[in-house]
Amino acid sequence: MAATEPTRVMMAVNESTIKGYPHASISSRGAFEWTLQKIVRSNATGFKLLFLHVQVPDEDGFDDMDSIYASPEDFKSLKNRDRIRGLHLLEYFVNRCHEIGVACEAWIKSGDPKEVICHEVRRVQPDLLVVGSRGLGPFQRVFVGTVSEFCVKHAECPVITIKRKADETPQDPVDD
Amino acid sequence: MAATEPTRVMMAVNESTIKGYPHASISSRGAFEWTLQKIVRSNATGFKLLFLHVQVPDEDGFDDMDSIYASPEDFKSLKNRDRIRGLHLLEYFVNRCHEIGVACEAWIKSGDPKEVICHEVRRVQPDLLVVGSRGLGPFQRVFVGTVSEFCVKHAECPVITIKRKADETPQDPVDD
């Protein structure tokens, strides 16, 4: 097969939900490392990774107790803090790509993750979307973890769903 | 990244449902060509493709009107004919792989496709499962095309779902 444009792989990445745990979620890191190892392999120039982090405005704003009493000024600095956290999250993935010579781009959007991811797929038109998933059982899935299912149905490109491995699952399977 | 074992990609392939239409379904061929072009790319030795075709015993046996009156002998020859059709289907994919120098294996199993695919994933332990999907809307999805959804939830490896492109969709979207 002749050399062509690199395969553009969009990866939706998020922060860990575990309190005090820094940076990327278990499923985001797992999906990223799997993609490098099993898809990109030694063909670093054949791929370009596009990292999208979607921040959920309300959840982030009211996660800390003191934010309930936040003045407009506090709220602005809080939003700024969120943005900085988001940049740190993306920095993790961008640095890994630079280390191994895979081209990448990264950006932050705000909104409902499943809607924003599908919107960004329409806008950016990647060849492939990679979403990590907590891989919960049928009972938990009713309440959480529907982002990957929504993307498989609605994203206008092929979608890889990568479940978290059993040995990476924290004590409470809802954590990530 | 150091050279390692090839990435083993299992592809579930099926026959077209369109009457008189020979060989592989639109979504199987689409998923296969997409995988070669966007994942394997020029790195033919980095991948091994594992083609699984699941034959549905009852549907195949009673698809032709005359099979309702089939004697045990007729039924045996019918099953034989099915096996030959299945081999022809797999031959299409195996020949393409040989042309481009990608290692492959292919086999036929009988049963409920979604159950058999997930069972074969547990047995063969591929790195990745590729399933084509008709990409139907929410209304049609109630009645057909749940194989890919089942595999995303239950297969014990990452799963790529590749929807058929809009311009490849036949007149009746239930056809494939």
Side-chain angles (χ1 to χ4, degrees), chain A residues 1 4-7 34 36 38-39 41 46-47 127-128 141 149 152-153 155 158-161 163, chain B residues 1 4-7 34 36 38-39 41 46-47 127-128 141 149 152-153 155 158-163:
Chain A
M1 279 156 286
T4 50
E5 291 294 299
T7 297
W34 183 91
L36 293 178
K38 299 298 184 183
I39 302 289
R41 298 183 58 95
F47 294 86
D127 295 303
L128 173 62
R141 199 181 293 118
E149 283 183 46
V152 167
K153 284 185 192 166
V159 178
I160 305 194
T161 307
K163 294 188 205 79
Chain B
M1 277 155 286
T4 51
E5 290 293 300
T7 297
W34 183 91
L36 293 179
K38 298 298 184 183
I39 302 289
R41 298 183 58 95
F47 294 86
D127 295 303
L128 173 62
R141 199 180 294 118
E149 283 183 45
V152 167
K153 285 185 191 165
V159 178
I160 305 194
T161 307
I162 301 177
K163 294 188 204 80

mmCIF file of all heavy atoms in Angstrom, chain A residues 1 4-7 34 36 38-39 41 46-47 127-128 141 149 152-153 155 158-161 163, chain B residues 1 4-7 34 36 38-39 41 46-47 127-128 141 149 152-153 155 158-163:
data_model
loop_
_atom_site.group_PDB
_atom_site.id
_atom_site.type_symbol
_atom_site.label_atom_id
_atom_site.label_comp_id
_atom_site.label_asym_id
_atom_site.label_seq_id
_atom_site.Cartn_x
_atom_site.Cartn_y
_atom_site.Cartn_z
ATOM 1 N N MET A 1 0.832 -1.207 0.000
ATOM 2 C CA MET A 1 0.000 0.000 0.000
ATOM 3 C C MET A 1 0.865 1.255 0.000
ATOM 4 O O MET A 1 1.823 1.336 0.754
ATOM 5 C CB MET A 1 -0.909 0.002 1.228
ATOM 6 C CG MET A 1 -2.138 -0.865 1.041
ATOM 7 S SD MET A 1 -2.814 -1.421 2.620
ATOM 8 C CE MET A 1 -1.588 -2.663 3.047
ATOM 9 N N THR A 4 0.270 7.306 2.376
ATOM 10 C CA THR A 4 -0.813 8.273 2.237
ATOM 11 C C THR A 4 -0.794 9.170 3.465
ATOM 12 O O THR A 4 0.126 9.113 4.268
ATOM 13 C CB THR A 4 -2.168 7.540 2.157
ATOM 14 O OG1 THR A 4 -2.232 6.607 3.245
ATOM 15 C CG2 THR A 4 -2.316 6.789 0.847
ATOM 16 N N GLU A 5 -1.787 10.009 3.574
ATOM 17 C CA GLU A 5 -1.965 10.813 4.787
ATOM 18 C C GLU A 5 -1.999 9.898 6.011
ATOM 19 O O GLU A 5 -2.521 8.787 5.932
ATOM 20 C CB GLU A 5 -3.303 11.561 4.699
ATOM 21 C CG GLU A 5 -3.335 12.653 3.653
ATOM 22 C CD GLU A 5 -2.389 13.782 4.004
ATOM 23 O OE1 GLU A 5 -2.603 14.391 5.065
ATOM 24 O OE2 GLU A 5 -1.437 14.043 3.236
ATOM 25 N N PRO A 6 -1.478 10.360 7.150
ATOM 26 C CA PRO A 6 -1.562 9.513 8.351
ATOM 27 C C PRO A 6 -3.016 9.243 8.744
ATOM 28 O O PRO A 6 -3.901 10.038 8.446
ATOM 29 C CB PRO A 6 -0.846 10.336 9.422
ATOM 30 C CG PRO A 6 -0.814 11.729 8.924
ATOM 31 C CD PRO A 6 -0.805 11.637 7.430
ATOM 32 N N THR A 7 -3.238 8.124 9.399
ATOM 33 C CA THR A 7 -4.552 7.803 9.966
ATOM 34 C C THR A 7 -4.770 8.698 11.184
ATOM 35 O O THR A 7 -3.962 8.699 12.111
ATOM 36 C CB THR A 7 -4.602 6.326 10.380
ATOM 37 O OG1 THR A 7 -4.449 5.513 9.214
ATOM 38 C CG2 THR A 7 -5.918 5.988 11.066
ATOM 39 N N TRP A 34 -2.803 1.191 24.893
ATOM 40 C CA TRP A 34 -3.218 0.094 24.006
ATOM 41 C C TRP A 34 -3.109 0.528 22.543
ATOM 42 O O TRP A 34 -2.620 -0.231 21.692
ATOM 43 C CB TRP A 34 -4.652 -0.334 24.342
ATOM 44 C CG TRP A 34 -5.116 -1.491 23.516
ATOM 45 C CD1 TRP A 34 -5.013 -2.821 23.822
ATOM 46 C CD2 TRP A 34 -5.732 -1.423 22.223
ATOM 47 N NE1 TRP A 34 -5.527 -3.577 22.792
ATOM 48 C CE2 TRP A 34 -5.976 -2.748 21.803
ATOM 49 C CE3 TRP A 34 -6.110 -0.372 21.385
ATOM 50 C CZ2 TRP A 34 -6.586 -3.052 20.585
ATOM 51 C CZ3 TRP A 34 -6.709 -0.672 20.170
ATOM 52 C CH2 TRP A 34 -6.933 -1.999 19.780
ATOM 53 N N LEU A 36 -1.198 2.823 21.194
ATOM 54 C CA LEU A 36 0.213 2.896 20.792
ATOM 55 C C LEU A 36 0.778 1.504 20.528
ATOM 56 O O LEU A 36 1.450 1.269 19.515
ATOM 57 C CB LEU A 36 1.050 3.575 21.884
ATOM 58 C CG LEU A 36 0.781 5.056 22.130
ATOM 59 C CD1 LEU A 36 1.659 5.556 23.264
ATOM 60 C CD2 LEU A 36 1.017 5.889 20.861
ATOM 61 N N LYS A 38 -0.778 -1.542 20.074
ATOM 62 C CA LYS A 38 -1.449 -2.497 19.187
ATOM 63 C C LYS A 38 -1.808 -1.927 17.824
ATOM 64 O O LYS A 38 -1.974 -2.688 16.860
ATOM 65 C CB LYS A 38 -2.731 -3.019 19.858
ATOM 66 C CG LYS A 38 -2.493 -3.763 21.163
ATOM 67 C CD LYS A 38 -1.645 -5.017 20.959
ATOM 68 C CE LYS A 38 -1.503 -5.814 22.248
ATOM 69 N NZ LYS A 38 -0.617 -6.984 22.045
ATOM 70 N N ILE A 39 -1.948 -0.614 17.699
ATOM 71 C CA ILE A 39 -2.355 -0.024 16.424
ATOM 72 C C ILE A 39 -1.183 0.732 15.787
ATOM 73 O O ILE A 39 -0.785 0.455 14.661
ATOM 74 C CB ILE A 39 -3.565 0.927 16.611
ATOM 75 C CG1 ILE A 39 -4.757 0.185 17.231
ATOM 76 C CG2 ILE A 39 -3.936 1.595 15.286
ATOM 77 C CD1 ILE A 39 -5.445 -0.807 16.339
ATOM 78 N N ARG A 41 2.028 0.778 16.805
ATOM 79 C CA ARG A 41 3.185 -0.122 16.763
ATOM 80 C C ARG A 41 4.453 0.662 16.388
ATOM 81 O O ARG A 41 4.686 1.714 16.973
ATOM 82 C CB ARG A 41 2.907 -1.294 15.804
ATOM 83 C CG ARG A 41 1.694 -2.158 16.263
ATOM 84 C CD ARG A 41 1.489 -3.341 15.353
ATOM 85 N NE ARG A 41 2.683 -4.159 15.308
ATOM 86 C CZ ARG A 41 2.900 -5.231 16.070
ATOM 87 N NH1 ARG A 41 1.970 -5.652 16.897
ATOM 88 N NH2 ARG A 41 4.026 -5.900 15.985
ATOM 89 N N GLY A 46 2.773 6.913 10.558
ATOM 90 C CA GLY A 46 1.523 6.551 9.884
ATOM 91 C C GLY A 46 0.277 7.042 10.605
ATOM 92 O O GLY A 46 -0.828 6.883 10.086
ATOM 93 N N PHE A 47 0.472 7.626 11.794
ATOM 94 C CA PHE A 47 -0.682 7.995 12.615
ATOM 95 C C PHE A 47 -0.539 9.402 13.180
ATOM 96 O O PHE A 47 0.563 9.887 13.405
ATOM 97 C CB PHE A 47 -0.834 7.001 13.775
ATOM 98 C CG PHE A 47 -1.187 5.613 13.305
ATOM 99 C CD1 PHE A 47 -0.188 4.719 12.925
ATOM 100 C CD2 PHE A 47 -2.511 5.222 13.189
ATOM 101 C CE1 PHE A 47 -0.514 3.444 12.463
ATOM 102 C CE2 PHE A 47 -2.841 3.952 12.723
ATOM 103 C CZ PHE A 47 -1.848 3.065 12.355
ATOM 104 N N ASP A 127 -10.361 9.552 11.242
ATOM 105 C CA ASP A 127 -10.602 8.225 10.651
ATOM 106 C C ASP A 127 -11.179 7.263 11.675
ATOM 107 O O ASP A 127 -11.806 6.261 11.307
ATOM 108 C CB ASP A 127 -9.276 7.651 10.126
ATOM 109 C CG ASP A 127 -8.730 8.474 8.982
ATOM 110 O OD1 ASP A 127 -9.443 8.643 7.984
ATOM 111 O OD2 ASP A 127 -7.586 8.967 9.104
ATOM 112 N N LEU A 128 -10.925 7.538 12.933
ATOM 113 C CA LEU A 128 -11.235 6.577 13.997
ATOM 114 C C LEU A 128 -11.386 7.343 15.305
ATOM 115 O O LEU A 128 -10.632 8.278 15.556
ATOM 116 C CB LEU A 128 -10.054 5.598 14.091
ATOM 117 C CG LEU A 128 -10.012 4.586 15.222
ATOM 118 C CD1 LEU A 128 -11.199 3.642 15.125
ATOM 119 C CD2 LEU A 128 -8.714 3.786 15.155
ATOM 120 N N ARG A 141 -24.256 -0.270 34.505
ATOM 121 C CA ARG A 141 -24.309 0.473 33.255
ATOM 122 C C ARG A 141 -25.573 1.315 33.130
ATOM 123 O O ARG A 141 -25.623 2.274 32.389
ATOM 124 C CB ARG A 141 -24.172 -0.474 32.062
ATOM 125 C CG ARG A 141 -23.755 0.268 30.815
ATOM 126 C CD ARG A 141 -23.637 -0.643 29.605
ATOM 127 N NE ARG A 141 -22.561 -1.581 29.731
ATOM 128 C CZ ARG A 141 -22.704 -2.895 29.752
ATOM 129 N NH1 ARG A 141 -23.901 -3.431 29.630
ATOM 130 N NH2 ARG A 141 -21.665 -3.683 29.880
ATOM 131 N N GLU A 149 -21.146 3.929 24.754
ATOM 132 C CA GLU A 149 -22.283 3.358 24.009
ATOM 133 C C GLU A 149 -22.909 4.389 23.080
ATOM 134 O O GLU A 149 -23.252 4.087 21.941
ATOM 135 C CB GLU A 149 -23.362 2.851 24.975
ATOM 136 C CG GLU A 149 -23.015 1.522 25.608
ATOM 137 C CD GLU A 149 -24.135 0.998 26.501
ATOM 138 O OE1 GLU A 149 -25.308 1.032 26.081
ATOM 139 O OE2 GLU A 149 -23.825 0.578 27.622
ATOM 140 N N VAL A 152 -20.575 4.916 20.028
ATOM 141 C CA VAL A 152 -20.626 3.803 19.069
ATOM 142 C C VAL A 152 -21.849 3.967 18.165
ATOM 143 O O VAL A 152 -21.780 3.747 16.959
ATOM 144 C CB VAL A 152 -20.668 2.442 19.799
ATOM 145 C CG1 VAL A 152 -21.027 1.314 18.845
ATOM 146 C CG2 VAL A 152 -19.324 2.159 20.460
ATOM 147 N N LYS A 153 -22.976 4.389 18.736
ATOM 148 C CA LYS A 153 -24.198 4.525 17.941
ATOM 149 C C LYS A 153 -24.202 5.776 17.071
ATOM 150 O O LYS A 153 -24.672 5.744 15.944
ATOM 151 C CB LYS A 153 -25.422 4.571 18.864
ATOM 152 C CG LYS A 153 -25.782 3.204 19.414
ATOM 153 C CD LYS A 153 -27.059 3.247 20.224
ATOM 154 C CE LYS A 153 -27.201 1.937 20.990
ATOM 155 N NZ LYS A 153 -28.210 2.005 22.038
ATOM 156 N N ALA A 155 -21.493 8.442 16.633
ATOM 157 C CA ALA A 155 -20.327 9.098 16.025
ATOM 158 C C ALA A 155 -20.221 8.695 14.551
ATOM 159 O O ALA A 155 -20.385 7.522 14.214
ATOM 160 C CB ALA A 155 -19.053 8.721 16.767
ATOM 161 N N PRO A 158 -15.715 5.114 12.414
ATOM 162 C CA PRO A 158 -15.530 3.894 13.205
ATOM 163 C C PRO A 158 -15.093 4.226 14.630
ATOM 164 O O PRO A 158 -14.381 5.205 14.850
ATOM 165 C CB PRO A 158 -14.436 3.155 12.432
ATOM 166 C CG PRO A 158 -14.572 3.638 11.025
ATOM 167 C CD PRO A 158 -14.938 5.098 11.166
ATOM 168 N N VAL A 159 -15.539 3.429 15.580
ATOM 169 C CA VAL A 159 -15.277 3.686 16.999
ATOM 170 C C VAL A 159 -14.665 2.437 17.632
ATOM 171 O O VAL A 159 -15.177 1.333 17.448
ATOM 172 C CB VAL A 159 -16.596 4.028 17.738
ATOM 173 C CG1 VAL A 159 -16.330 4.250 19.227
ATOM 174 C CG2 VAL A 159 -17.263 5.254 17.121
ATOM 175 N N ILE A 160 -13.550 2.608 18.349
ATOM 176 C CA ILE A 160 -13.026 1.504 19.173
ATOM 177 C C ILE A 160 -13.412 1.758 20.608
ATOM 178 O O ILE A 160 -13.117 2.827 21.151
ATOM 179 C CB ILE A 160 -11.485 1.382 19.197
ATOM 180 C CG1 ILE A 160 -10.884 1.276 17.832
ATOM 181 C CG2 ILE A 160 -11.067 0.170 20.022
ATOM 182 C CD1 ILE A 160 -9.422 0.820 17.866
ATOM 183 N N THR A 161 -14.032 0.789 21.225
ATOM 184 C CA THR A 161 -14.311 0.840 22.659
ATOM 185 C C THR A 161 -13.302 -0.048 23.365
ATOM 186 O O THR A 161 -13.160 -1.222 23.028
ATOM 187 C CB THR A 161 -15.720 0.314 22.960
ATOM 188 O OG1 THR A 161 -16.640 1.018 22.146
ATOM 189 C CG2 THR A 161 -16.073 0.540 24.416
ATOM 190 N N LYS A 163 -12.317 -1.431 26.964
ATOM 191 C CA LYS A 163 -12.726 -1.573 28.369
ATOM 192 C C LYS A 163 -11.491 -1.608 29.256
ATOM 193 O O LYS A 163 -10.434 -2.091 28.860
ATOM 194 C CB LYS A 163 -13.508 -2.873 28.558
ATOM 195 C CG LYS A 163 -14.838 -2.907 27.842
ATOM 196 C CD LYS A 163 -15.623 -4.151 28.265
ATOM 197 C CE LYS A 163 -16.622 -4.571 27.209
ATOM 198 N NZ LYS A 163 -16.014 -5.318 26.091
ATOM 199 N N MET B 1 9.229 1.934 19.484
ATOM 200 C CA MET B 1 8.717 0.701 20.081
ATOM 201 C C MET B 1 9.367 -0.518 19.433
ATOM 202 O O MET B 1 9.462 -0.589 18.213
ATOM 203 C CB MET B 1 7.201 0.644 19.890
ATOM 204 C CG MET B 1 6.464 1.440 20.961
ATOM 205 S SD MET B 1 4.837 1.970 20.377
ATOM 206 C CE MET B 1 5.328 3.295 19.246
ATOM 207 N N THR B 4 7.479 -6.618 18.132
ATOM 208 C CA THR B 4 6.872 -7.625 19.001
ATOM 209 C C THR B 4 6.011 -8.527 18.128
ATOM 210 O O THR B 4 6.033 -8.446 16.914
ATOM 211 C CB THR B 4 5.989 -6.955 20.061
ATOM 212 O OG1 THR B 4 5.100 -6.044 19.380
ATOM 213 C CG2 THR B 4 6.801 -6.204 21.088
ATOM 214 N N GLU B 5 5.295 -9.432 18.762
ATOM 215 C CA GLU B 5 4.306 -10.255 18.066
ATOM 216 C C GLU B 5 3.351 -9.351 17.271
ATOM 217 O O GLU B 5 3.018 -8.263 17.730
ATOM 218 C CB GLU B 5 3.490 -11.041 19.099
ATOM 219 C CG GLU B 5 4.278 -12.124 19.803
ATOM 220 C CD GLU B 5 4.675 -13.230 18.844
ATOM 221 O OE1 GLU B 5 3.780 -13.852 18.269
ATOM 222 O OE2 GLU B 5 5.893 -13.447 18.663
ATOM 223 N N PRO B 6 2.881 -9.812 16.109
ATOM 224 C CA PRO B 6 1.916 -8.983 15.372
ATOM 225 C C PRO B 6 0.628 -8.775 16.179
ATOM 226 O O PRO B 6 0.276 -9.600 17.026
ATOM 227 C CB PRO B 6 1.636 -9.802 14.108
ATOM 228 C CG PRO B 6 2.069 -11.186 14.400
ATOM 229 C CD PRO B 6 3.177 -11.072 15.410
ATOM 230 N N THR B 7 -0.041 -7.673 15.914
ATOM 231 C CA THR B 7 -1.356 -7.414 16.503
ATOM 232 C C THR B 7 -2.369 -8.337 15.830
ATOM 233 O O THR B 7 -2.508 -8.326 14.607
ATOM 234 C CB THR B 7 -1.754 -5.942 16.284
ATOM 235 O OG1 THR B 7 -0.817 -5.106 16.966
ATOM 236 C CG2 THR B 7 -3.151 -5.666 16.802
ATOM 237 N N TRP B 34 -11.403 -0.993 5.222
ATOM 238 C CA TRP B 34 -11.075 0.098 6.139
ATOM 239 C C TRP B 34 -9.904 -0.298 7.043
ATOM 240 O O TRP B 34 -8.975 0.484 7.266
ATOM 241 C CB TRP B 34 -12.302 0.470 6.975
ATOM 242 C CG TRP B 34 -12.043 1.628 7.890
ATOM 243 C CD1 TRP B 34 -12.230 2.956 7.634
ATOM 244 C CD2 TRP B 34 -11.505 1.558 9.221
ATOM 245 N NE1 TRP B 34 -11.855 3.712 8.717
ATOM 246 C CE2 TRP B 34 -11.411 2.877 9.702
ATOM 247 C CE3 TRP B 34 -11.114 0.506 10.049
ATOM 248 C CZ2 TRP B 34 -10.924 3.168 10.989
ATOM 249 C CZ3 TRP B 34 -10.615 0.808 11.320
ATOM 250 C CH2 TRP B 34 -10.535 2.127 11.772
ATOM 251 N N LEU B 36 -7.527 -2.513 6.506
ATOM 252 C CA LEU B 36 -6.271 -2.529 5.739
ATOM 253 C C LEU B 36 -5.746 -1.116 5.528
ATOM 254 O O LEU B 36 -4.560 -0.844 5.717
ATOM 255 C CB LEU B 36 -6.493 -3.189 4.377
ATOM 256 C CG LEU B 36 -6.807 -4.684 4.386
ATOM 257 C CD1 LEU B 36 -7.018 -5.166 2.952
ATOM 258 C CD2 LEU B 36 -5.690 -5.487 5.055
ATOM 259 N N LYS B 38 -6.584 1.886 7.028
ATOM 260 C CA LYS B 38 -6.416 2.838 8.131
ATOM 261 C C LYS B 38 -5.634 2.279 9.317
ATOM 262 O O LYS B 38 -5.072 3.043 10.100
ATOM 263 C CB LYS B 38 -7.793 3.302 8.636
ATOM 264 C CG LYS B 38 -8.623 4.034 7.594
ATOM 265 C CD LYS B 38 -7.943 5.311 7.128
ATOM 266 C CE LYS B 38 -8.832 6.091 6.167
ATOM 267 N NZ LYS B 38 -8.127 7.305 5.660
ATOM 268 N N ILE B 39 -5.606 0.958 9.476
ATOM 269 C CA ILE B 39 -4.910 0.378 10.635
ATOM 270 C C ILE B 39 -3.627 -0.328 10.185
ATOM 271 O O ILE B 39 -2.545 -0.014 10.654
ATOM 272 C CB ILE B 39 -5.829 -0.618 11.383
ATOM 273 C CG1 ILE B 39 -7.120 0.068 11.852
ATOM 274 C CG2 ILE B 39 -5.087 -1.274 12.544
ATOM 275 C CD1 ILE B 39 -6.949 1.043 12.978
ATOM 276 N N ARG B 41 -2.202 -0.276 7.139
ATOM 277 C CA ARG B 41 -1.421 0.671 6.329
ATOM 278 C C ARG B 41 -0.261 -0.072 5.639
ATOM 279 O O ARG B 41 -0.479 -1.136 5.060
ATOM 280 C CB ARG B 41 -0.950 1.841 7.196
ATOM 281 C CG ARG B 41 -2.131 2.647 7.788
ATOM 282 C CD ARG B 41 -1.643 3.832 8.588
ATOM 283 N NE ARG B 41 -0.818 4.699 7.745
ATOM 284 C CZ ARG B 41 -1.265 5.767 7.092
ATOM 285 N NH1 ARG B 41 -2.526 6.125 7.195
ATOM 286 N NH2 ARG B 41 -0.460 6.483 6.330
ATOM 287 N N GLY B 46 3.118 -6.269 10.717
ATOM 288 C CA GLY B 46 2.756 -5.936 12.099
ATOM 289 C C GLY B 46 1.408 -6.490 12.522
ATOM 290 O O GLY B 46 1.027 -6.364 13.686
ATOM 291 N N PHE B 47 0.693 -7.086 11.567
ATOM 292 C CA PHE B 47 -0.679 -7.515 11.858
ATOM 293 C C PHE B 47 -0.945 -8.927 11.347
ATOM 294 O O PHE B 47 -0.351 -9.375 10.370
ATOM 295 C CB PHE B 47 -1.677 -6.541 11.200
ATOM 296 C CG PHE B 47 -1.618 -5.161 11.801
ATOM 297 C CD1 PHE B 47 -0.695 -4.228 11.338
ATOM 298 C CD2 PHE B 47 -2.462 -4.820 12.846
ATOM 299 C CE1 PHE B 47 -0.613 -2.961 11.914
ATOM 300 C CE2 PHE B 47 -2.384 -3.560 13.419
ATOM 301 C CZ PHE B 47 -1.458 -2.626 12.954
ATOM 302 N N ASP B 127 -6.162 -9.378 19.891
ATOM 303 C CA ASP B 127 -5.936 -8.054 20.485
ATOM 304 C C ASP B 127 -7.108 -7.134 20.231
ATOM 305 O O ASP B 127 -7.314 -6.158 20.957
ATOM 306 C CB ASP B 127 -4.675 -7.424 19.869
ATOM 307 C CG ASP B 127 -3.433 -8.217 20.228
ATOM 308 O OD1 ASP B 127 -3.180 -8.399 21.429
ATOM 309 O OD2 ASP B 127 -2.727 -8.676 19.298
ATOM 310 N N LEU B 128 -7.859 -7.428 19.190
ATOM 311 C CA LEU B 128 -8.882 -6.487 18.718
ATOM 312 C C LEU B 128 -9.915 -7.278 17.932
ATOM 313 O O LEU B 128 -9.566 -8.198 17.189
ATOM 314 C CB LEU B 128 -8.191 -5.474 17.791
ATOM 315 C CG LEU B 128 -9.031 -4.479 17.016
ATOM 316 C CD1 LEU B 128 -9.786 -3.573 17.970
ATOM 317 C CD2 LEU B 128 -8.121 -3.632 16.117
ATOM 318 N N ARG B 141 -33.027 -0.602 14.553
ATOM 319 C CA ARG B 141 -32.102 -1.311 15.427
ATOM 320 C C ARG B 141 -32.827 -2.211 16.427
ATOM 321 O O ARG B 141 -32.261 -3.159 16.946
ATOM 322 C CB ARG B 141 -31.175 -0.331 16.151
ATOM 323 C CG ARG B 141 -29.948 -1.027 16.685
ATOM 324 C CD ARG B 141 -29.017 -0.085 17.416
ATOM 325 N NE ARG B 141 -28.432 0.903 16.551
ATOM 326 C CZ ARG B 141 -28.607 2.202 16.686
ATOM 327 N NH1 ARG B 141 -29.346 2.680 17.645
ATOM 328 N NH2 ARG B 141 -28.030 3.038 15.854
ATOM 329 N N GLU B 149 -23.595 -4.393 18.782
ATOM 330 C CA GLU B 149 -23.834 -3.854 20.129
ATOM 331 C C GLU B 149 -23.529 -4.894 21.209
ATOM 332 O O GLU B 149 -22.939 -4.575 22.236
ATOM 333 C CB GLU B 149 -25.295 -3.406 20.285
ATOM 334 C CG GLU B 149 -25.575 -2.083 19.609
ATOM 335 C CD GLU B 149 -27.015 -1.622 19.834
ATOM 336 O OE1 GLU B 149 -27.508 -1.701 20.980
ATOM 337 O OE2 GLU B 149 -27.648 -1.203 18.854
ATOM 338 N N VAL B 152 -19.698 -5.267 21.547
ATOM 339 C CA VAL B 152 -19.066 -4.149 22.249
ATOM 340 C C VAL B 152 -19.214 -4.334 23.750
ATOM 341 O O VAL B 152 -18.287 -4.103 24.521
ATOM 342 C CB VAL B 152 -19.687 -2.802 21.807
ATOM 343 C CG1 VAL B 152 -19.268 -1.671 22.739
ATOM 344 C CG2 VAL B 152 -19.277 -2.482 20.373
ATOM 345 N N LYS B 153 -20.387 -4.818 24.181
ATOM 346 C CA LYS B 153 -20.621 -4.979 25.617
ATOM 347 C C LYS B 153 -19.928 -6.210 26.187
ATOM 348 O O LYS B 153 -19.425 -6.179 27.298
ATOM 349 C CB LYS B 153 -22.120 -5.093 25.898
ATOM 350 C CG LYS B 153 -22.829 -3.750 25.794
ATOM 351 C CD LYS B 153 -24.280 -3.852 26.195
ATOM 352 C CE LYS B 153 -24.998 -2.563 25.813
ATOM 353 N NZ LYS B 153 -26.449 -2.712 25.832
ATOM 354 N N ALA B 155 -17.685 -8.773 24.443
ATOM 355 C CA ALA B 155 -16.425 -9.373 23.993
ATOM 356 C C ALA B 155 -15.292 -8.937 24.923
ATOM 357 O O ALA B 155 -15.198 -7.767 25.293
ATOM 358 C CB ALA B 155 -16.119 -8.962 22.559
ATOM 359 N N PRO B 158 -10.802 -5.181 23.111
ATOM 360 C CA PRO B 158 -11.301 -3.967 22.467
ATOM 361 C C PRO B 158 -12.042 -4.299 21.167
ATOM 362 O O PRO B 158 -11.676 -5.253 20.478
ATOM 363 C CB PRO B 158 -10.023 -3.169 22.195
ATOM 364 C CG PRO B 158 -9.061 -3.636 23.242
ATOM 365 C CD PRO B 158 -9.360 -5.103 23.386
ATOM 366 N N VAL B 159 -13.068 -3.527 20.864
ATOM 367 C CA VAL B 159 -13.920 -3.798 19.706
ATOM 368 C C VAL B 159 -14.017 -2.534 18.847
ATOM 369 O O VAL B 159 -14.266 -1.456 19.374
ATOM 370 C CB VAL B 159 -15.347 -4.197 20.161
ATOM 371 C CG1 VAL B 159 -16.253 -4.435 18.967
ATOM 372 C CG2 VAL B 159 -15.303 -5.431 21.064
ATOM 373 N N ILE B 160 -13.791 -2.678 17.525
ATOM 374 C CA ILE B 160 -14.083 -1.564 16.605
ATOM 375 C C ILE B 160 -15.394 -1.866 15.918
ATOM 376 O O ILE B 160 -15.552 -2.935 15.326
ATOM 377 C CB ILE B 160 -13.069 -1.394 15.450
ATOM 378 C CG1 ILE B 160 -11.652 -1.254 15.929
ATOM 379 C CG2 ILE B 160 -13.429 -0.179 14.600
ATOM 380 C CD1 ILE B 160 -10.706 -0.748 14.837
ATOM 381 N N THR B 161 -16.303 -0.922 15.969
ATOM 382 C CA THR B 161 -17.543 -1.012 15.206
ATOM 383 C C THR B 161 -17.412 -0.099 13.998
ATOM 384 O O THR B 161 -17.110 1.087 14.143
ATOM 385 C CB THR B 161 -18.730 -0.541 16.056
ATOM 386 O OG1 THR B 161 -18.723 -1.260 17.275
ATOM 387 C CG2 THR B 161 -20.038 -0.793 15.325
ATOM 388 N N ILE B 162 -17.602 -0.670 12.804
ATOM 389 C CA ILE B 162 -17.476 0.106 11.578
ATOM 390 C C ILE B 162 -18.827 0.104 10.876
ATOM 391 O O ILE B 162 -19.278 -0.922 10.384
ATOM 392 C CB ILE B 162 -16.383 -0.476 10.677
ATOM 393 C CG1 ILE B 162 -15.055 -0.466 11.443
ATOM 394 C CG2 ILE B 162 -16.274 0.309 9.376
ATOM 395 C CD1 ILE B 162 -13.903 -1.081 10.708
ATOM 396 N N LYS B 163 -19.460 1.267 10.873
ATOM 397 C CA LYS B 163 -20.772 1.380 10.220
ATOM 398 C C LYS B 163 -20.593 1.430 8.711
ATOM 399 O O LYS B 163 -19.604 1.956 8.204
ATOM 400 C CB LYS B 163 -21.478 2.642 10.676
ATOM 401 C CG LYS B 163 -21.863 2.643 12.143
ATOM 402 C CD LYS B 163 -22.741 3.857 12.441
ATOM 403 C CE LYS B 163 -22.666 4.251 13.905
ATOM 404 N NZ LYS B 163 -21.452 5.025 14.237
#
